[in-house]
Amino acid sequence: MNEKTTPFALITGASKGIGKSIAYELAKQGYPLLLVARSETELKALSDDLQVKYGINAAFLSIDLSTTGASQKVTDWIKMNNYPVGILVNNAGYGVWGDFSQSSLTDQLGMMQLNMNVVVELSHLLLPILSKEKQAYILNISSTAAYQAVPTLAVYSATKAFVLSFTRALRFELAPTSISVTCFSPGPVDTGFAARAGLNAFSKMAEKFNMQPDEVAKMAVKAMFSKKSEVIPGFTNIISVYANRILPKAFIEKTAAGIYKI
């Protein structure tokens, strides 16, 4: 692939987990990258490794996307450097576990900002840039939690439901254009998410069902380039989501509450 004619892929939350694995997957395919996350140290290490291994340009911007105006700063950085962006991967996000009434409101609002608002902001701000490409893609990373209410992860599951709904609508609106929109909703992935959310007990149980981030990234990138509308990776996750559609909501929510209350 000729980097001069190949558009960049912008990946949020690129320093670890699924975002990092997606960066490697796209680099393998010759795509130059724009890596965005908070940790400058981790981003630089990733950028250096990608450039050495795959010979692609991997620029990075260290920024806390949950802060006001961050999405505009990312867009200004792109415009200032004249990066042609043909892929937007909205991956950055985190979860806050615990009873809603006992959880920090600041943490909950910060999660909503990152999980929802940034997805909307970057999509809106970058559409004019994406539309310049003959074929462009938006890949939104949601979760199987989007398909049901999850007590003790009430706000997190609601933010992922928002991402799913937003992606469906945006895909329909952009259908006549050159921009394809895909929602990818994994279940448990070995990224340390559960531990960071405070789900220490659950994280031990999740190890039995965890998918590996590299495996998930390959499936996500394939789904994006195949212009899939909505993909849930893993047979167990598919069955789980299907069960949510046919079983009583009260039963599903009680079951989820029992799992996450561990």
Side-chain angles (χ1 to χ4, degrees):
M1 241 175 230
N2 187 337
E3 193 173 288
K4 292 182 179 179
T5 59
T6 303
F8 282 75
L10 171 65
I11 306 170
T12 66
S15 63
K16 59 186 63 174
I18 296 174
K20 184 176 182 179
S21 291
I22 288 176
Y24 275 100
E25 185 62 27
L26 288 172
K28 288 176 187 176
Q29 299 187 35
Y31 283 89
L33 303 172
L34 301 178
L35 310 170
V36 177
R38 287 185 300 173
S39 174
E40 183 172 1
T41 301
E42 291 180 348
L43 284 174
K44 187 179 186 310
L46 174 61
S47 173
D48 290 345
D49 192 49
L50 289 167
Q51 292 184 100
V52 169
K53 284 184 176 177
Y54 303 107
I56 52 94
N57 185 1
F60 65 89
L61 178 66
S62 173
I63 189 170
D64 184 350
L65 284 172
S66 66
T67 58
T68 302
S71 296
Q72 185 62 59
K73 291 178 181 178
V74 172
T75 305
D76 292 342
W77 171 62
I78 291 170
K79 291 180 177 179
M80 181 177 65
N81 291 282
N82 294 314
Y83 293 127
V85 179
I87 299 173
L88 168 60
V89 180
N90 284 309
N91 166 73
Y94 69 90
V96 175
W97 174 76
D99 287 342
F100 175 72
S101 63
Q102 302 301 313
S103 299
S104 163
L105 180 58
T106 299
D107 290 346
Q108 301 284 0
L109 293 176
M111 177 175 58
M112 292 172 67
Q113 171 65 23
L114 184 59
N115 292 11
M116 297 189 299
N117 291 5
V118 170
V119 173
V120 172
E121 291 165 2
L122 284 177
S123 297
H124 193 275
L125 290 168
L126 294 184
L127 277 177
I129 297 175
L130 291 166
S131 65
K132 294 178 182 179
E133 300 300 323
K134 184 176 180 181
Q135 179 63 61
Y137 305 88
I138 295 176
L139 174 63
N140 292 332
I141 305 300
S142 183
S143 165
T144 51
Y147 294 89
Q148 67 181 81
V150 183
T152 69
L153 285 170
V155 178
Y156 172 77
S157 60
T159 65
K160 291 306 183 179
F162 174 90
V163 171
L164 176 60
S165 180
F166 172 67
T167 306
R168 288 171 173 170
L170 186 61
R171 177 182 174 85
F172 185 88
E173 290 183 16
L174 295 179
T177 75
S178 62
I179 304 172
S180 175
V181 188
T182 298
C183 188
F184 190 78
S185 300
V189 181
D190 188 13
T191 61
F193 168 86
R196 287 197 299 274
L199 278 159
N200 295 317
F202 176 77
S203 65
K204 295 177 182 178
M205 185 184 75
E207 290 175 0
K208 301 176 183 178
F209 305 99
N210 276 343
M211 297 181 71
Q212 295 304 308
D214 289 350
E215 174 190 15
V216 170
K218 285 183 180 180
M219 297 174 74
V221 170
K222 181 179 179 180
M224 178 184 71
F225 285 139
S226 299
K227 300 182 182 180
K228 299 288 187 181
S229 59
E230 195 173 319
V231 173
I232 301 163
F235 180 74
T236 301
N237 294 326
I238 293 172
I239 294 299
S240 173
V241 169
Y242 181 73
N244 292 337
R245 295 173 179 170
I246 62 175
L247 295 174
K249 287 184 174 59
F251 173 79
I252 292 295
E253 289 159 12
K254 183 177 181 180
T255 301
I259 293 173
Y260 289 97
K261 283 282 189 181
I262 294 174

